[in-house]
């Protein structure tokens, strides 16, 4: 079975997602990823929008600073990128986001399949109580369900935390790569996100995005 894994954070950038699939430690990274058991790349990807928005909260073990989460109840729309993957790959990507070892996820696969069915039917399902353990289905693309994972709490229920510069820069490169946006539009989009708007000055966001896109074409 195939699903669209919808990324709205650093995995907007295909090279970043490749570490989750193939395994290893990205240059300058703080984590070594075990990778997916099926390490074939996604068969397709496409820019998409999800109703709602993203916010930054908590503490990232890979980047430091706040992590990106999706809240379908926020006003507006969240820019994202959908990757066509197998359910097993989706499960392994989710396991790595949840800091679970993929080699021990045989028991997670049936649970994820059941949660996918529930999310497709009801829009939302729970894999566990932690971060990125809430499964959301924002719709279908070409008849295939789109799925993403986020925190159980809405943006209004948690303190927001500014993301690290390297993390925000990776998201900026992902938005440019997937949506083709110029630096101005990316900076405007990111500067409005909860956790950025109250933790970063607008001109700093503009500078960071411009620097992140140097050499991207």
């Amino acid at each position: 079975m195939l699903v669209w894994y919808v990324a709205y954070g650093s995995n907007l950038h295909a090279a970043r997602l490749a570490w989750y699939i193939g395994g290893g430690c990205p240059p300058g990274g703080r984590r070594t990823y075990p990778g997916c058991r099926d390490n074939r790349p996604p068969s397709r990807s496409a820019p998409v929008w999800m109703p709602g928005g993203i916010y930054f909260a908590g503490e990232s073990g890979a980047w430091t600073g706040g992590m990106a989460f999706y809240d379908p109840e926020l006003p507006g729309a969240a820019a994202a990128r959908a990757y066509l993957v197998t359910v097993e790959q989706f499960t392994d990507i989710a396991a790595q986001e949840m800091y679970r070892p993929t080699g021990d996820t045989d028991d997670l696969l049936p649970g994820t399949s059941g949660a996918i069915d529930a999310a497709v039917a009801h829009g939302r399902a729970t894999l566990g109580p932690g971060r990125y353990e809430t499964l959301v289905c924002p719709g279908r693309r070409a008849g295939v369900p789109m799925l993403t994972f986020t925190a159980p709490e809405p943006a209004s229920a948690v303190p927001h935390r500014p993301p690290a510069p390297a993390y925000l820069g990776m998201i900026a490169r992902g938005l440019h790569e997937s949506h083709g946006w110029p630096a101005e539009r990316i900076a405007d989009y990111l500067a409005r996100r909860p956790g950025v708007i109250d933790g970063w000055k607008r001109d700093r966001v503009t500078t960071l995005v411009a620097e992140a896109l140097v050499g991207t074409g």
Side-chain angles (χ1 to χ4, degrees):
M1 176 181 174
L2 296 176
V3 298
W4 293 100
Y5 159 50
V6 182
Y8 52 84
S10 60
N11 283 343
L12 278 158
H13 198 283
R16 175 68 181 174
L17 178 64
W19 292 101
Y20 282 83
I21 294 176
C25 181
R30 295 164 58 93
R31 283 184 67 194
T32 297
Y33 297 93
C36 294
R37 287 165 288 184
D38 177 354
N39 60 13
R40 292 174 297 173
S43 52
R44 276 191 286 165
S45 74
V48 297
W49 289 90
M50 299 188 290
I54 65 168
Y55 65 97
F56 294 87
E59 171 72 19
S60 171
W63 302 94
T64 72
M67 299 174 288
F69 296 106
Y70 168 60
D71 182 354
E73 300 304 319
L74 281 173
R81 185 175 192 171
Y83 296 93
L84 194 62
V85 297
T86 67
V87 169
E88 181 184 80
Q89 287 177 311
F90 180 84
T91 299
D92 287 348
I93 292 167
Q96 291 174 90
E97 288 282 28
M98 292 185 279
Y99 282 73
R100 300 187 190 186
T102 55
D104 296 338
T105 54
D106 285 342
D107 61 331
L108 189 61
L109 186 56
T112 305
S113 296
I116 288 172
D117 291 341
V120 170
H122 307 293
R124 192 179 186 94
T126 301
L127 284 166
R131 63 181 192 179
Y132 299 126
E133 295 188 10
T134 298
L135 196 58
V136 177
C137 177
R140 290 176 178 267
R141 180 179 175 83
V144 177
M146 298 193 299
L147 297 157
T148 194
F149 29 78
T150 187
E153 308 90 357
S156 59
V158 295
H160 302 150
R161 182 180 178 124
Y167 185 39
L168 203 61
M170 181 64 72
I171 295 173
R173 287 192 289 275
L175 287 168
H176 176 72
E177 180 181 87
S178 58
H179 285 259
W181 290 357
E184 264 186 40
R185 185 170 181 182
I186 294 169
D188 184 65
Y189 173 79
L190 292 176
R192 296 170 184 267
R193 302 309 105 194
V196 177
I197 194 171
D198 38 14
W200 280 67
K201 292 183 178 180
R202 174 56 190 267
D203 59 350
R204 189 175 174 221
V205 177
T206 300
T207 299
L208 179 138
V209 170
E211 291 174 349
L213 298 190
V214 170
T216 60

